[in-house]
Amino acid sequence: MPHDVECTHCRVLMTTWSAAGSPVRYWQCPFCNRTHSSLYSEVFRAGAGARRVEAAPPSGAAGPPQASADEIAWARLKARAARWFARLEQEQLPAAVRPPSAAAPAPRLATAAARRVR
């Protein structure tokens, strides 16, 4: 395909590559990491996730915004942190499942405190 491909979710141009000697071409969004293949051209025709855009002329005309290397690194870091926080939330025990020794003082201490009050 001689066209550039734009992610319909993030509105940025997708990076492209292909394996040596392979007729299949791949595109990936630098922000959301969605990947599309030239084997599924109906995706591009329907505009479902990716759409073809005319190649930008080399005359310096303004085109769709491009992601900088810092923005790509930041998006990956945020995604990794979100996965880590989700895993932490799954590993935490609910308060009702905690052992009773952590919830209430030992009975011996409770009776000693009651004797001092009298």
Side-chain angles (χ1 to χ4, degrees):
M1 262 194 277
H3 298 78
D4 289 335
V5 175
E6 179 184 56
C7 177
T8 57
H9 302 281
C10 303
R11 303 279 188 227
V12 296
L13 289 180
M14 301 173 93
T15 58
T16 183
W17 75 94
S18 65
S22 174
V24 180
R25 188 144 201 85
Y26 300 94
W27 289 269
Q28 184 175 25
C29 178
F31 287 112
C32 63
N33 292 327
R34 287 180 170 91
T35 304
H36 299 283
S37 168
S38 62
L39 289 175
Y40 301 102
S41 59
E42 65 271 6
V43 170
F44 301 106
R45 281 193 297 271
R51 67 180 183 93
R52 294 180 185 140
V53 292
E54 292 298 322
S59 63
Q66 292 294 312
S68 69
D70 289 337
E71 291 171 329
I72 294 169
W74 180 245
R76 287 182 180 151
L77 180 66
K78 287 193 304 185
R80 192 171 67 208
R83 288 191 305 268
W84 184 73
F85 283 120
R87 191 181 75 231
L88 281 179
E89 287 179 11
Q90 287 179 344
E91 291 175 356
Q92 287 182 346
L93 293 174
V97 181
R98 291 189 184 146
S101 61
R108 188 170 21 141
L109 295 175
T111 57
R115 278 188 235 146
R116 281 191 219 144
V117 174
R118 292 182 190 174

